[in-house]
């Protein structure tokens, strides 16, 4: 995955203390890479050719009949031209949901379980619902 990053569930993510900026991991207060607006889907021979641009770009050598291939985002990711990097893409239509839509039981159970674990670990959490706001420390 490159410098200051690790693989998690098949995607490159920045290590603790770093954040993703233009497809690279940078430390807080550290120098930021220059934004690039050129085409990320260039010819390549190996993954390293693509990862110079974004750590989630890989070299797909199965799309051409000639030597080499073309850079593309990892599976289940798409290029976001605004942020200049590959990002997780969930092909989900949420247009029928609003902030006032009822939460499904399974989602509510998952949230409650997560909040309980955070509380056990001594993390402070604030939960806001349409009815109440609860703060626990």
């Amino acid at each position: 995955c490159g410098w200051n990053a690790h693989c998690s569930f098949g995607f490159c993510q920045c290590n603790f203390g770093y954040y993703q900026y233009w497809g690279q991991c940078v430390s807080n207060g550290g120098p930021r890479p220059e934004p690039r607006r050129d085409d990320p889907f260039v010819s390549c021979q190996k993954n390293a050719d693509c990862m110079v641009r974004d750590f989630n770009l890989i070299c797909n050598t199965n799309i051409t009949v000639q030597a080499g291939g073309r850079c593309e985002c990892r599976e289940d990711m798409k290029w976001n031209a605004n942020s200049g990097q590959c990002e997780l893409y969930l092909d989900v239509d949420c247009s029928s949901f609003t902030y006032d839509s009822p939460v499904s039981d399974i989602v509510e159970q998952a949230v409650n379980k997560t909040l309980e674990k955070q509380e056990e670990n001594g993390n402070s959490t604030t939960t806001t619902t349409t009815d109440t706001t609860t703060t626990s420390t």
Side-chain angles (χ1 to χ4, degrees), residues 19-131:
Y19 64 96
Q20 190 171 338
Y21 188 79
W22 294 101
Q24 307 295 317
C25 294
V26 295
S27 63
N28 289 332
R32 294 181 176 181
E34 286 295 315
R36 294 179 61 178
R37 300 286 184 190
D38 56 330
D39 183 11
F41 309 114
V42 296
S43 297
C44 58
Q45 297 295 318
K46 58 189 180 302
N47 285 339
D49 298 335
C50 305
M51 294 175 103
V52 168
R53 170 68 186 261
D54 181 309
F55 61 19
N56 279 305
L57 277 174
I58 57 171
C59 186
N60 184 348
T61 57
N62 295 323
I63 60 172
T64 61
V65 292
Q66 59 203 41
R70 188 183 66 155
C71 295
E72 64 180 35
C73 292
R74 294 178 188 275
E75 188 176 348
D76 296 326
M77 299 188 95
K78 286 203 174 182
W79 186 256
N80 182 330
N82 292 328
S83 63
Q85 60 192 11
C86 294
E87 295 180 350
L88 181 64
Y89 179 74
L90 302 175
D91 191 12
V92 178
D93 180 6
C94 298
S95 61
S96 64
F97 296 98
T98 68
Y99 284 104
D100 297 325
S101 296
V103 177
S104 73
D105 290 340
I106 195 161
V107 170
E108 188 172 14
Q109 290 171 7
V111 168
N112 289 337
K113 186 182 257 185
T114 301
L115 292 174
E116 288 170 9
K117 284 185 179 182
Q118 286 182 331
E119 201 171 290
E120 288 171 9
N121 293 332
N123 297 332
S124 177
T125 60
T126 300
T127 307
T128 302
T129 65
T130 54
D131 298 330

Side-chain angles (χ1 to χ4, degrees), residues 8-19:
S8 181
F9 301 102
F11 303 107
C12 293
Q13 295 182 335
C14 296
N15 293 339
F16 180 77
Y18 293 84
Y19 64 96

